[in-house]
Amino acid sequence: MARKARRHSNTGIYHVMLRGINRQDLFHEESDYLFFLERLHLLAHPKNEKNEPASPLCDIYAYCLMTNHVYLMLAPRERELSDVVKPLAISYARYYNTKYSRCGYLFQDRFKSEPVDDFNYVVTLFRYIHQNPVKAGIVETVEEYPWSSWHDYLSDKGRVNTITETSFMLEQIGMDDLCRLVSESVDDDCSSLEKVVPPTDLEVTEMLLEECHGMPIERISSLPKQDRDKILISVLKKGAGIRQLCKLSAVGFSVIRRLKNVSISPSP
């Protein structure tokens, strides 16, 4: 069967994921992460045969290296996406197999990608990529994780030669808003093509107040089950995240997760 053609991005930006075959680890120690980052750096800052700076192969807007997979948000420059990502994967697989006396495929199938067709999805994906270590329980805050592009954004704005092209996001949003964006606990799911920016805590608070008809939202958790669930389902349908709503309503996580499933079920 022929492989399905990759979907073209209207913006030129793509969400790319590389996963270890059979979910095996890609990185075992610091030097592994550093080698992969060196390969990423060469995509953004290549050298010609005279070891002189050459034109970037792509712009990298975000990345996160997890133990057995890698997330990238990038835009190829005058090249096909495969011409950028495939050599990166081959180079790292060769390094890994040599170092660990291994042979065979390192990555699961060909790399996965999806187009990022509008700026709303850029924002959602940016947060999703940087929050992966937090959601996995590896760290408590985005800043604590050393193997993501967030540190390029936190560094001095005058810094040059970084992997990440930070100006694209900073010109659109600004550093203060980016910090707020990545620190909020949300339930983004970028495995789908749904391109919705989740509401802020303030917006969800306003939704709750509207549904409560003036009643303090602190009383939601003590309402009769039917009344409580009606309010929460309504706000979930408007885009509130599970953890976000749990925090604001003081209702248990498992209850809201169950109601989330109800809220996305098709009507009979």
Side-chain angles (χ1 to χ4, degrees):
M1 180 184 296
R3 284 181 170 178
K4 186 177 180 180
R6 296 190 186 277
R7 294 174 53 221
H8 176 74
S9 170
N10 295 329
T11 63
I13 302 173
Y14 292 88
H15 177 201
V16 172
M17 184 181 74
L18 293 161
R19 186 186 293 280
I21 191 169
N22 297 323
R23 296 182 180 271
Q24 83 159 61
D25 288 351
L26 298 172
F27 309 102
H28 299 282
E29 55 189 29
E30 182 176 318
S31 59
D32 299 336
Y33 290 97
L34 291 175
F35 183 87
F36 194 95
L37 293 181
E38 287 177 6
R39 299 299 98 184
L40 278 184
H41 190 273
L42 284 176
L43 294 180
H45 304 281
K47 300 289 183 67
N48 61 22
E49 60 276 6
K50 297 180 180 180
N51 202 35
E52 298 171 336
S55 299
L57 302 178
C58 66
D59 291 319
I60 300 171
Y61 302 126
Y63 67 82
C64 185
L65 279 52
M66 301 291 283
T67 305
N68 65 2
H69 59 282
V70 173
Y71 289 113
L72 305 169
M73 180 167 67
L74 55 80
R77 288 196 182 187
E78 300 180 359
R79 288 174 179 260
E80 294 295 327
L81 181 63
S82 294
D83 294 336
V84 173
V85 181
K86 188 176 179 180
L88 170 68
I90 291 174
S91 175
Y92 186 76
R94 185 180 297 119
Y95 155 85
Y96 184 98
N97 285 351
T98 300
K99 179 176 179 178
Y100 295 105
S101 301
R102 180 186 178 279
C103 62
Y105 294 109
L106 175 63
F107 295 101
Q108 180 177 311
D109 303 321
R110 61 174 182 163
F111 69 90
K112 298 185 181 299
S113 67
E114 62 180 6
V116 181
D117 283 333
D118 57 54
F119 191 69
N120 279 346
Y121 191 38
V122 168
V123 172
T124 300
L125 179 57
F126 185 88
R127 172 165 48 194
Y128 174 81
I129 287 175
H130 289 111
Q131 285 199 351
N132 256 269
V134 177
K135 291 184 177 182
I138 300 172
V139 293
E140 293 186 0
T141 65
V142 172
E143 291 82 1
E144 294 177 65
Y145 194 69
W147 310 116
S148 84
S149 53
W150 186 236
H151 295 280
D152 283 349
Y153 287 89
L154 292 177
S155 66
D156 190 327
K157 292 181 181 179
R159 181 180 174 186
V160 296
N161 212 34
T162 58
I163 293 172
T164 316
E165 172 50 66
T166 59
S167 61
F168 173 71
M169 294 298 295
L170 292 173
E171 289 171 3
Q172 299 280 349
I173 297 180
M175 193 61 202
D176 289 343
D177 287 336
L178 274 186
C179 288
R180 177 190 59 78
L181 187 77
V182 301
S183 64
E184 288 180 350
S185 179
V186 293
D187 296 287
D188 294 334
D189 181 6
C190 290
S191 61
S192 70
L193 298 180
E194 187 174 335
K195 307 174 181 66
V196 179
V197 178
T200 65
D201 284 359
L202 178 59
E203 290 170 333
V204 173
T205 299
E206 292 172 350
M207 294 176 195
L208 288 169
L209 288 172
E210 182 179 358
E211 293 295 328
C212 289
H213 303 290
M215 179 189 73
I217 62 176
E218 293 82 5
R219 291 182 54 192
I220 292 176
S221 59
S222 60
L223 289 174
K225 179 177 180 296
Q226 184 175 356
D227 296 335
R228 178 203 67 189
D229 290 359
K230 182 180 179 181
I231 291 172
L232 296 176
I233 289 173
S234 178
V235 177
L236 283 166
K237 286 183 176 180
K238 295 177 182 178
I242 297 175
R243 292 183 180 86
Q244 187 180 35
L245 195 50
C246 178
K247 175 180 66 176
L248 296 173
S249 68
V251 176
F253 180 88
S254 60
V255 172
I256 297 179
R257 182 172 57 185
R258 173 180 58 80
L259 295 176
K260 177 70 172 181
N261 293 332
V262 173
S263 74
I264 62 177
S265 298
S267 300

